[in-house]
Amino acid sequence: MRAWAKPSHSRFGMACISTNGNEVVLRATLRMVVHELNRPRSASIYIVDRKLGEHIVTGVFKTNDSDGAIRIIDQTLGAQSVTLRAGPTFLY
């Protein structure tokens, strides 16, 4: 299990804990969640809309299913995403 402290650029408390293949996120910005989702990915996820990246997120994401996490982000935050063939994903 690993945990991260509050990021210096955020005024909100934040915790991300990895356990049993899940990323548990408590009051983190979407930008920080995407940063963690990008760790195991060969093609990065980019947030195009700055306001979208500032959304505060609480939830559980599977660390080995970033595509599933992107679908959840699209559904719950009303975001849209485009993934280029064998390439990066853009959230907007």
Side-chain angles (χ1 to χ4, degrees):
M1 180 166 30
R2 63 181 182 186
W4 295 271
K6 176 181 169 183
S8 59
H9 66 277
S10 176
R11 62 188 173 93
F12 298 96
M14 177 262 195
C16 292
I17 303 166
S18 292
T19 181
N20 299 329
N22 292 317
E23 190 79 21
V24 179
V25 178
L26 303 170
R27 298 191 49 79
T29 63
L30 180 59
R31 186 175 333 283
M32 291 301 297
V33 172
V34 167
H35 176 76
E36 293 303 319
L37 291 172
N38 276 333
R39 287 180 186 263
R41 280 179 65 103
S42 58
S44 294
I45 303 167
Y46 298 97
I47 301 173
V48 177
D49 182 349
R50 192 176 84 201
K51 283 189 174 188
L52 179 62
E54 294 170 358
H55 269 85
I56 301 302
V57 177
T58 296
V60 178
F61 301 98
K62 292 199 176 294
T63 54
N64 62 351
D65 185 16
S66 56
D67 291 336
I70 291 167
R71 282 191 299 277
I72 291 169
I73 291 165
D74 286 350
Q75 293 169 0
T76 59
L77 296 181
Q80 295 184 2
S81 61
V82 173
T83 301
L84 304 180
R85 183 184 300 225
T89 298
F90 298 90
L91 290 169
Y92 59 97

mmCIF file with all atom_site columns, all heavy atoms in Angstrom, residues 36-59:
data_model
loop_
_atom_site.group_PDB
_atom_site.id
_atom_site.type_symbol
_atom_site.label_atom_id
_atom_site.label_alt_id
_atom_site.label_comp_id
_atom_site.label_asym_id
_atom_site.label_entity_id
_atom_site.label_seq_id
_atom_site.pdbx_PDB_ins_code
_atom_site.Cartn_x
_atom_site.Cartn_y
_atom_site.Cartn_z
_atom_site.occupancy
_atom_site.B_iso_or_equiv
_atom_site.pdbx_formal_charge
_atom_site.auth_seq_id
_atom_site.auth_comp_id
_atom_site.auth_asym_id
_atom_site.auth_atom_id
_atom_site.pdbx_PDB_model_num
ATOM 1   N N   . GLU A 1 36 ? -1.930  9.597  -11.751 1.00 0.00 ? 36 GLU A N   1
ATOM 2   C CA  . GLU A 1 36 ? -1.758  8.226  -11.255 1.00 0.00 ? 36 GLU A CA  1
ATOM 3   C C   . GLU A 1 36 ? -2.166  7.195  -12.303 1.00 0.00 ? 36 GLU A C   1
ATOM 4   O O   . GLU A 1 36 ? -1.531  6.157  -12.429 1.00 0.00 ? 36 GLU A O   1
ATOM 5   C CB  . GLU A 1 36 ? -2.547  8.021  -9.958  1.00 0.00 ? 36 GLU A CB  1
ATOM 6   C CG  . GLU A 1 36 ? -2.010  8.824  -8.803  1.00 0.00 ? 36 GLU A CG  1
ATOM 7   C CD  . GLU A 1 36 ? -0.540  8.545  -8.513  1.00 0.00 ? 36 GLU A CD  1
ATOM 8   O OE1 . GLU A 1 36 ? -0.121  7.374  -8.565  1.00 0.00 ? 36 GLU A OE1 1
ATOM 9   O OE2 . GLU A 1 36 ? 0.196   9.501  -8.243  1.00 0.00 ? 36 GLU A OE2 1
ATOM 10  N N   . LEU A 1 37 ? -3.223  7.472  -13.057 1.00 0.00 ? 37 LEU A N   1
ATOM 11  C CA  . LEU A 1 37 ? -3.644  6.549  -14.112 1.00 0.00 ? 37 LEU A CA  1
ATOM 12  C C   . LEU A 1 37 ? -2.600  6.447  -15.216 1.00 0.00 ? 37 LEU A C   1
ATOM 13  O O   . LEU A 1 37 ? -2.476  5.412  -15.868 1.00 0.00 ? 37 LEU A O   1
ATOM 14  C CB  . LEU A 1 37 ? -4.989  6.988  -14.705 1.00 0.00 ? 37 LEU A CB  1
ATOM 15  C CG  . LEU A 1 37 ? -6.214  6.853  -13.808 1.00 0.00 ? 37 LEU A CG  1
ATOM 16  C CD1 . LEU A 1 37 ? -7.427  7.505  -14.471 1.00 0.00 ? 37 LEU A CD1 1
ATOM 17  C CD2 . LEU A 1 37 ? -6.493  5.391  -13.490 1.00 0.00 ? 37 LEU A CD2 1
ATOM 18  N N   . ASN A 1 38 ? -1.852  7.520  -15.436 1.00 0.00 ? 38 ASN A N   1
ATOM 19  C CA  . ASN A 1 38 ? -0.834  7.524  -16.488 1.00 0.00 ? 38 ASN A CA  1
ATOM 20  C C   . ASN A 1 38 ? 0.396   6.690  -16.138 1.00 0.00 ? 38 ASN A C   1
ATOM 21  O O   . ASN A 1 38 ? 1.151   6.303  -17.033 1.00 0.00 ? 38 ASN A O   1
ATOM 22  C CB  . ASN A 1 38 ? -0.390  8.953  -16.807 1.00 0.00 ? 38 ASN A CB  1
ATOM 23  C CG  . ASN A 1 38 ? -1.317  9.626  -17.785 1.00 0.00 ? 38 ASN A CG  1
ATOM 24  O OD1 . ASN A 1 38 ? -1.965  8.982  -18.599 1.00 0.00 ? 38 ASN A OD1 1
ATOM 25  N ND2 . ASN A 1 38 ? -1.394  10.948 -17.695 1.00 0.00 ? 38 ASN A ND2 1
ATOM 26  N N   . ARG A 1 39 ? 0.628   6.415  -14.871 1.00 0.00 ? 39 ARG A N   1
ATOM 27  C CA  . ARG A 1 39 ? 1.838   5.687  -14.462 1.00 0.00 ? 39 ARG A CA  1
ATOM 28  C C   . ARG A 1 39 ? 2.046   4.381  -15.227 1.00 0.00 ? 39 ARG A C   1
ATOM 29  O O   . ARG A 1 39 ? 3.104   4.169  -15.770 1.00 0.00 ? 39 ARG A O   1
ATOM 30  C CB  . ARG A 1 39 ? 1.849   5.441  -12.957 1.00 0.00 ? 39 ARG A CB  1
ATOM 31  C CG  . ARG A 1 39 ? 2.121   6.686  -12.151 1.00 0.00 ? 39 ARG A CG  1
ATOM 32  C CD  . ARG A 1 39 ? 2.104   6.350  -10.661 1.00 0.00 ? 39 ARG A CD  1
ATOM 33  N NE  . ARG A 1 39 ? 2.225   7.531  -9.856  1.00 0.00 ? 39 ARG A NE  1
ATOM 34  C CZ  . ARG A 1 39 ? 3.363   7.974  -9.339  1.00 0.00 ? 39 ARG A CZ  1
ATOM 35  N NH1 . ARG A 1 39 ? 4.481   7.326  -9.540  1.00 0.00 ? 39 ARG A NH1 1
ATOM 36  N NH2 . ARG A 1 39 ? 3.376   9.060  -8.612  1.00 0.00 ? 39 ARG A NH2 1
ATOM 37  N N   . PRO A 1 40 ? 1.052   3.482  -15.264 1.00 0.00 ? 40 PRO A N   1
ATOM 38  C CA  . PRO A 1 40 ? 1.290   2.216  -15.965 1.00 0.00 ? 40 PRO A CA  1
ATOM 39  C C   . PRO A 1 40 ? 0.985   2.259  -17.471 1.00 0.00 ? 40 PRO A C   1
ATOM 40  O O   . PRO A 1 40 ? 1.215   1.276  -18.170 1.00 0.00 ? 40 PRO A O   1
ATOM 41  C CB  . PRO A 1 40 ? 0.336   1.248  -15.261 1.00 0.00 ? 40 PRO A CB  1
ATOM 42  C CG  . PRO A 1 40 ? -0.802  2.102  -14.825 1.00 0.00 ? 40 PRO A CG  1
ATOM 43  C CD  . PRO A 1 40 ? -0.186  3.446  -14.490 1.00 0.00 ? 40 PRO A CD  1
ATOM 44  N N   . ARG A 1 41 ? 0.453   3.354  -17.980 1.00 0.00 ? 41 ARG A N   1
ATOM 45  C CA  . ARG A 1 41 ? 0.038   3.432  -19.391 1.00 0.00 ? 41 ARG A CA  1
ATOM 46  C C   . ARG A 1 41 ? 1.199   3.775  -20.298 1.00 0.00 ? 41 ARG A C   1
ATOM 47  O O   . ARG A 1 41 ? 2.036   4.601  -19.965 1.00 0.00 ? 41 ARG A O   1
ATOM 48  C CB  . ARG A 1 41 ? -1.027  4.514  -19.580 1.00 0.00 ? 41 ARG A CB  1
ATOM 49  C CG  . ARG A 1 41 ? -2.415  4.099  -19.190 1.00 0.00 ? 41 ARG A CG  1
ATOM 50  C CD  . ARG A 1 41 ? -3.392  5.236  -19.383 1.00 0.00 ? 41 ARG A CD  1
ATOM 51  N NE  . ARG A 1 41 ? -3.567  5.642  -20.757 1.00 0.00 ? 41 ARG A NE  1
ATOM 52  C CZ  . ARG A 1 41 ? -4.611  5.325  -21.509 1.00 0.00 ? 41 ARG A CZ  1
ATOM 53  N NH1 . ARG A 1 41 ? -5.576  4.591  -21.009 1.00 0.00 ? 41 ARG A NH1 1
ATOM 54  N NH2 . ARG A 1 41 ? -4.716  5.756  -22.743 1.00 0.00 ? 41 ARG A NH2 1
ATOM 55  N N   . SER A 1 42 ? 1.222   3.171  -21.482 1.00 0.00 ? 42 SER A N   1
ATOM 56  C CA  . SER A 1 42 ? 2.236   3.532  -22.472 1.00 0.00 ? 42 SER A CA  1
ATOM 57  C C   . SER A 1 42 ? 1.825   4.798  -23.220 1.00 0.00 ? 42 SER A C   1
ATOM 58  O O   . SER A 1 42 ? 2.667   5.583  -23.626 1.00 0.00 ? 42 SER A O   1
ATOM 59  C CB  . SER A 1 42 ? 2.461   2.385  -23.453 1.00 0.00 ? 42 SER A CB  1
ATOM 60  O OG  . SER A 1 42 ? 1.249   2.056  -24.096 1.00 0.00 ? 42 SER A OG  1
ATOM 61  N N   . ALA A 1 43 ? 0.522   5.011  -23.404 1.00 0.00 ? 43 ALA A N   1
ATOM 62  C CA  . ALA A 1 43 ? -0.001  6.214  -24.049 1.00 0.00 ? 43 ALA A CA  1
ATOM 63  C C   . ALA A 1 43 ? -0.711  7.054  -22.991 1.00 0.00 ? 43 ALA A C   1
ATOM 64  O O   . ALA A 1 43 ? -1.578  6.566  -22.279 1.00 0.00 ? 43 ALA A O   1
ATOM 65  C CB  . ALA A 1 43 ? -0.971  5.847  -25.160 1.00 0.00 ? 43 ALA A CB  1
ATOM 66  N N   . SER A 1 44 ? -0.346  8.298  -22.877 1.00 0.00 ? 44 SER A N   1
ATOM 67  C CA  . SER A 1 44 ? -0.835  9.157  -21.797 1.00 0.00 ? 44 SER A CA  1
ATOM 68  C C   . SER A 1 44 ? -2.273  9.629  -21.989 1.00 0.00 ? 44 SER A C   1
ATOM 69  O O   . SER A 1 44 ? -2.793  9.651  -23.091 1.00 0.00 ? 44 SER A O   1
ATOM 70  C CB  . SER A 1 44 ? 0.063   10.385 -21.667 1.00 0.00 ? 44 SER A CB  1
ATOM 71  O OG  . SER A 1 44 ? 1.334   10.002 -21.240 1.00 0.00 ? 44 SER A OG  1
ATOM 72  N N   . ILE A 1 45 ? -2.866  10.015 -20.865 1.00 0.00 ? 45 ILE A N   1
ATOM 73  C CA  . ILE A 1 45 ? -4.166  10.676 -20.829 1.00 0.00 ? 45 ILE A CA  1
ATOM 74  C C   . ILE A 1 45 ? -3.881  12.155 -20.603 1.00 0.00 ? 45 ILE A C   1
ATOM 75  O O   . ILE A 1 45 ? -3.101  12.514 -19.718 1.00 0.00 ? 45 ILE A O   1
ATOM 76  C CB  . ILE A 1 45 ? -5.038  10.140 -19.674 1.00 0.00 ? 45 ILE A CB  1
ATOM 77  C CG1 . ILE A 1 45 ? -5.218  8.632  -19.783 1.00 0.00 ? 45 ILE A CG1 1
ATOM 78  C CG2 . ILE A 1 45 ? -6.383  10.864 -19.642 1.00 0.00 ? 45 ILE A CG2 1
ATOM 79  C CD1 . ILE A 1 45 ? -5.783  7.992  -18.527 1.00 0.00 ? 45 ILE A CD1 1
ATOM 80  N N   . TYR A 1 46 ? -4.504  13.013 -21.394 1.00 0.00 ? 46 TYR A N   1
ATOM 81  C CA  . TYR A 1 46 ? -4.333  14.460 -21.264 1.00 0.00 ? 46 TYR A CA  1
ATOM 82  C C   . TYR A 1 46 ? -5.680  15.107 -20.974 1.00 0.00 ? 46 TYR A C   1
ATOM 83  O O   . TYR A 1 46 ? -6.686  14.721 -21.550 1.00 0.00 ? 46 TYR A O   1
ATOM 84  C CB  . TYR A 1 46 ? -3.754  15.064 -22.546 1.00 0.00 ? 46 TYR A CB  1
ATOM 85  C CG  . TYR A 1 46 ? -2.392  14.539 -22.888 1.00 0.00 ? 46 TYR A CG  1
ATOM 86  C CD1 . TYR A 1 46 ? -2.248  13.500 -23.803 1.00 0.00 ? 46 TYR A CD1 1
ATOM 87  C CD2 . TYR A 1 46 ? -1.256  15.065 -22.298 1.00 0.00 ? 46 TYR A CD2 1
ATOM 88  C CE1 . TYR A 1 46 ? -0.994  13.005 -24.118 1.00 0.00 ? 46 TYR A CE1 1
ATOM 89  C CE2 . TYR A 1 46 ? 0.004   14.579 -22.603 1.00 0.00 ? 46 TYR A CE2 1
ATOM 90  C CZ  . TYR A 1 46 ? 0.122   13.551 -23.513 1.00 0.00 ? 46 TYR A CZ  1
ATOM 91  O OH  . TYR A 1 46 ? 1.368   13.055 -23.815 1.00 0.00 ? 46 TYR A OH  1
ATOM 92  N N   . ILE A 1 47 ? -5.687  16.087 -20.090 1.00 0.00 ? 47 ILE A N   1
ATOM 93  C CA  . ILE A 1 47 ? -6.904  16.855 -19.798 1.00 0.00 ? 47 ILE A CA  1
ATOM 94  C C   . ILE A 1 47 ? -6.801  18.162 -20.569 1.00 0.00 ? 47 ILE A C   1
ATOM 95  O O   . ILE A 1 47 ? -5.906  18.970 -20.309 1.00 0.00 ? 47 ILE A O   1
ATOM 96  C CB  . ILE A 1 47 ? -7.053  17.121 -18.294 1.00 0.00 ? 47 ILE A CB  1
ATOM 97  C CG1 . ILE A 1 47 ? -7.101  15.803 -17.535 1.00 0.00 ? 47 ILE A CG1 1
ATOM 98  C CG2 . ILE A 1 47 ? -8.302  17.951 -18.028 1.00 0.00 ? 47 ILE A CG2 1
ATOM 99  C CD1 . ILE A 1 47 ? -7.077  15.967 -16.035 1.00 0.00 ? 47 ILE A CD1 1
ATOM 100 N N   . VAL A 1 48 ? -7.704  18.355 -21.515 1.00 0.00 ? 48 VAL A N   1
ATOM 101 C CA  . VAL A 1 48 ? -7.664  19.539 -22.376 1.00 0.00 ? 48 VAL A CA  1
ATOM 102 C C   . VAL A 1 48 ? -8.277  20.747 -21.674 1.00 0.00 ? 48 VAL A C   1
ATOM 103 O O   . VAL A 1 48 ? -7.756  21.855 -21.760 1.00 0.00 ? 48 VAL A O   1
ATOM 104 C CB  . VAL A 1 48 ? -8.396  19.251 -23.710 1.00 0.00 ? 48 VAL A CB  1
ATOM 105 C CG1 . VAL A 1 48 ? -8.426  20.483 -24.592 1.00 0.00 ? 48 VAL A CG1 1
ATOM 106 C CG2 . VAL A 1 48 ? -7.735  18.081 -24.435 1.00 0.00 ? 48 VAL A CG2 1
ATOM 107 N N   . ASP A 1 49 ? -9.373  20.529 -20.951 1.00 0.00 ? 49 ASP A N   1
ATOM 108 C CA  . ASP A 1 49 ? -10.105 21.598 -20.272 1.00 0.00 ? 49 ASP A CA  1
ATOM 109 C C   . ASP A 1 49 ? -9.561  21.792 -18.858 1.00 0.00 ? 49 ASP A C   1
ATOM 110 O O   . ASP A 1 49 ? -9.666  20.901 -18.022 1.00 0.00 ? 49 ASP A O   1
ATOM 111 C CB  . ASP A 1 49 ? -11.587 21.219 -20.229 1.00 0.00 ? 49 ASP A CB  1
ATOM 112 C CG  . ASP A 1 49 ? -12.468 22.270 -19.583 1.00 0.00 ? 49 ASP A CG  1
ATOM 113 O OD1 . ASP A 1 49 ? -11.941 23.220 -18.968 1.00 0.00 ? 49 ASP A OD1 1
ATOM 114 O OD2 . ASP A 1 49 ? -13.698 22.120 -19.674 1.00 0.00 ? 49 ASP A OD2 1
ATOM 115 N N   . ARG A 1 50 ? -8.971  22.930 -18.582 1.00 0.00 ? 50 ARG A N   1
ATOM 116 C CA  . ARG A 1 50 ? -8.366  23.194 -17.276 1.00 0.00 ? 50 ARG A CA  1
ATOM 117 C C   . ARG A 1 50 ? -9.366  23.062 -16.131 1.00 0.00 ? 50 ARG A C   1
ATOM 118 O O   . ARG A 1 50 ? -9.056  22.509 -15.076 1.00 0.00 ? 50 ARG A O   1
ATOM 119 C CB  . ARG A 1 50 ? -7.729  24.585 -17.265 1.00 0.00 ? 50 ARG A CB  1
ATOM 120 C CG  . ARG A 1 50 ? -6.844  24.808 -16.049 1.00 0.00 ? 50 ARG A CG  1
ATOM 121 C CD  . ARG A 1 50 ? -6.155  26.126 -16.094 1.00 0.00 ? 50 ARG A CD  1
ATOM 122 N NE  . ARG A 1 50 ? -7.089  27.115 -15.570 1.00 0.00 ? 50 ARG A NE  1
ATOM 123 C CZ  . ARG A 1 50 ? -7.015  28.405 -15.797 1.00 0.00 ? 50 ARG A CZ  1
ATOM 124 N NH1 . ARG A 1 50 ? -6.080  28.886 -16.550 1.00 0.00 ? 50 ARG A NH1 1
ATOM 125 N NH2 . ARG A 1 50 ? -7.892  29.228 -15.269 1.00 0.00 ? 50 ARG A NH2 1
ATOM 126 N N   . LYS A 1 51 ? -10.598 23.554 -16.336 1.00 0.00 ? 51 LYS A N   1
ATOM 127 C CA  . LYS A 1 51 ? -11.621 23.449 -15.284 1.00 0.00 ? 51 LYS A CA  1
ATOM 128 C C   . LYS A 1 51 ? -11.960 21.997 -14.982 1.00 0.00 ? 51 LYS A C   1
ATOM 129 O O   . LYS A 1 51 ? -12.220 21.648 -13.837 1.00 0.00 ? 51 LYS A O   1
ATOM 130 C CB  . LYS A 1 51 ? -12.877 24.217 -15.684 1.00 0.00 ? 51 LYS A CB  1
ATOM 131 C CG  . LYS A 1 51 ? -12.756 25.697 -15.517 1.00 0.00 ? 51 LYS A CG  1
ATOM 132 C CD  . LYS A 1 51 ? -14.096 26.363 -15.713 1.00 0.00 ? 51 LYS A CD  1
ATOM 133 C CE  . LYS A 1 51 ? -13.985 27.837 -15.408 1.00 0.00 ? 51 LYS A CE  1
ATOM 134 N NZ  . LYS A 1 51 ? -15.283 28.492 -15.410 1.00 0.00 ? 51 LYS A NZ  1
ATOM 135 N N   . LEU A 1 52 ? -11.962 21.158 -15.997 1.00 0.00 ? 52 LEU A N   1
ATOM 136 C CA  . LEU A 1 52 ? -12.222 19.735 -15.789 1.00 0.00 ? 52 LEU A CA  1
ATOM 137 C C   . LEU A 1 52 ? -11.152 19.139 -14.882 1.00 0.00 ? 52 LEU A C   1
ATOM 138 O O   . LEU A 1 52 ? -11.448 18.372 -13.976 1.00 0.00 ? 52 LEU A O   1
ATOM 139 C CB  . LEU A 1 52 ? -12.259 18.995 -17.134 1.00 0.00 ? 52 LEU A CB  1
ATOM 140 C CG  . LEU A 1 52 ? -12.492 17.494 -17.077 1.00 0.00 ? 52 LEU A CG  1
ATOM 141 C CD1 . LEU A 1 52 ? -13.848 17.173 -16.459 1.00 0.00 ? 52 LEU A CD1 1
ATOM 142 C CD2 . LEU A 1 52 ? -12.371 16.896 -18.478 1.00 0.00 ? 52 LEU A CD2 1
ATOM 143 N N   . GLY A 1 53 ? -9.908  19.499 -15.086 1.00 0.00 ? 53 GLY A N   1
ATOM 144 C CA  . GLY A 1 53 ? -8.809  18.990 -14.275 1.00 0.00 ? 53 GLY A CA  1
ATOM 145 C C   . GLY A 1 53 ? -8.876  19.408 -12.820 1.00 0.00 ? 53 GLY A C   1
ATOM 146 O O   . GLY A 1 53 ? -8.289  18.768 -11.948 1.00 0.00 ? 53 GLY A O   1
ATOM 147 N N   . GLU A 1 54 ? -9.622  20.486 -12.531 1.00 0.00 ? 54 GLU A N   1
ATOM 148 C CA  . GLU A 1 54 ? -9.741  20.993 -11.166 1.00 0.00 ? 54 GLU A CA  1
ATOM 149 C C   . GLU A 1 54 ? -10.885 20.341 -10.387 1.00 0.00 ? 54 GLU A C   1
ATOM 150 O O   . GLU A 1 54 ? -11.025 20.577 -9.190  1.00 0.00 ? 54 GLU A O   1
ATOM 151 C CB  . GLU A 1 54 ? -9.925  22.512 -11.198 1.00 0.00 ? 54 GLU A CB  1
ATOM 152 C CG  . GLU A 1 54 ? -8.703  23.237 -11.733 1.00 0.00 ? 54 GLU A CG  1
ATOM 153 C CD  . GLU A 1 54 ? -8.955  24.711 -11.994 1.00 0.00 ? 54 GLU A CD  1
ATOM 154 O OE1 . GLU A 1 54 ? -10.096 25.189 -11.798 1.00 0.00 ? 54 GLU A OE1 1
ATOM 155 O OE2 . GLU A 1 54 ? -8.005  25.383 -12.420 1.00 0.00 ? 54 GLU A OE2 1
ATOM 156 N N   . HIS A 1 55 ? -11.709 19.524 -11.047 1.00 0.00 ? 55 HIS A N   1
ATOM 157 C CA  . HIS A 1 55 ? -12.802 18.826 -10.346 1.00 0.00 ? 55 HIS A CA  1
ATOM 158 C C   . HIS A 1 55 ? -12.224 17.983 -9.217  1.00 0.00 ? 55 HIS A C   1
ATOM 159 O O   . HIS A 1 55 ? -11.199 17.339 -9.366  1.00 0.00 ? 55 HIS A O   1
ATOM 160 C CB  . HIS A 1 55 ? -13.564 17.904 -11.312 1.00 0.00 ? 55 HIS A CB  1
ATOM 161 C CG  . HIS A 1 55 ? -14.715 18.542 -11.967 1.00 0.00 ? 55 HIS A CG  1
ATOM 162 N ND1 . HIS A 1 55 ? -14.587 19.294 -13.114 1.00 0.00 ? 55 HIS A ND1 1
ATOM 163 C CD2 . HIS A 1 55 ? -16.031 18.551 -11.645 1.00 0.00 ? 55 HIS A CD2 1
ATOM 164 C CE1 . HIS A 1 55 ? -15.771 19.724 -13.479 1.00 0.00 ? 55 HIS A CE1 1
ATOM 165 N NE2 . HIS A 1 55 ? -16.670 19.294 -12.600 1.00 0.00 ? 55 HIS A NE2 1
ATOM 166 N N   . ILE A 1 56 ? -12.920 17.990 -8.085  1.00 0.00 ? 56 ILE A N   1
ATOM 167 C CA  . ILE A 1 56 ? -12.517 17.164 -6.949  1.00 0.00 ? 56 ILE A CA  1
ATOM 168 C C   . ILE A 1 56 ? -13.204 15.810 -7.091  1.00 0.00 ? 56 ILE A C   1
ATOM 169 O O   . ILE A 1 56 ? -14.415 15.735 -7.302  1.00 0.00 ? 56 ILE A O   1
ATOM 170 C CB  . ILE A 1 56 ? -12.907 17.838 -5.613  1.00 0.00 ? 56 ILE A CB  1
ATOM 171 C CG1 . ILE A 1 56 ? -12.240 19.208 -5.515  1.00 0.00 ? 56 ILE A CG1 1
ATOM 172 C CG2 . ILE A 1 56 ? -12.526 16.952 -4.437  1.00 0.00 ? 56 ILE A CG2 1
ATOM 173 C CD1 . ILE A 1 56 ? -10.741 19.194 -5.617  1.00 0.00 ? 56 ILE A CD1 1
ATOM 174 N N   . VAL A 1 57 ? -12.413 14.758 -6.962  1.00 0.00 ? 57 VAL A N   1
ATOM 175 C CA  . VAL A 1 57 ? -12.890 13.398 -7.214  1.00 0.00 ? 57 VAL A CA  1
ATOM 176 C C   . VAL A 1 57 ? -12.698 12.535 -5.977  1.00 0.00 ? 57 VAL A C   1
ATOM 177 O O   . VAL A 1 57 ? -11.674 12.613 -5.304  1.00 0.00 ? 57 VAL A O   1
ATOM 178 C CB  . VAL A 1 57 ? -12.102 12.777 -8.396  1.00 0.00 ? 57 VAL A CB  1
ATOM 179 C CG1 . VAL A 1 57 ? -12.515 11.348 -8.653  1.00 0.00 ? 57 VAL A CG1 1
ATOM 180 C CG2 . VAL A 1 57 ? -12.261 13.624 -9.645  1.00 0.00 ? 57 VAL A CG2 1
ATOM 181 N N   . THR A 1 58 ? -13.695 11.720 -5.690  1.00 0.00 ? 58 THR A N   1
ATOM 182 C CA  . THR A 1 58 ? -13.595 10.668 -4.679  1.00 0.00 ? 58 THR A CA  1
ATOM 183 C C   . THR A 1 58 ? -14.136 9.406  -5.314  1.00 0.00 ? 58 THR A C   1
ATOM 184 O O   . THR A 1 58 ? -15.206 9.418  -5.916  1.00 0.00 ? 58 THR A O   1
ATOM 185 C CB  . THR A 1 58 ? -14.413 11.021 -3.428  1.00 0.00 ? 58 THR A CB  1
ATOM 186 O OG1 . THR A 1 58 ? -13.853 12.180 -2.816  1.00 0.00 ? 58 THR A OG1 1
ATOM 187 C CG2 . THR A 1 58 ? -14.417 9.876  -2.426  1.00 0.00 ? 58 THR A CG2 1
ATOM 188 N N   . GLY A 1 59 ? -13.378 8.320  -5.236  1.00 0.00 ? 59 GLY A N   1
ATOM 189 C CA  . GLY A 1 59 ? -13.844 7.075  -5.835  1.00 0.00 ? 59 GLY A CA  1
ATOM 190 C C   . GLY A 1 59 ? -12.779 6.002  -5.808  1.00 0.00 ? 59 GLY A C   1
ATOM 191 O O   . GLY A 1 59 ? -11.698 6.184  -5.241  1.00 0.00 ? 59 GLY A O   1
#
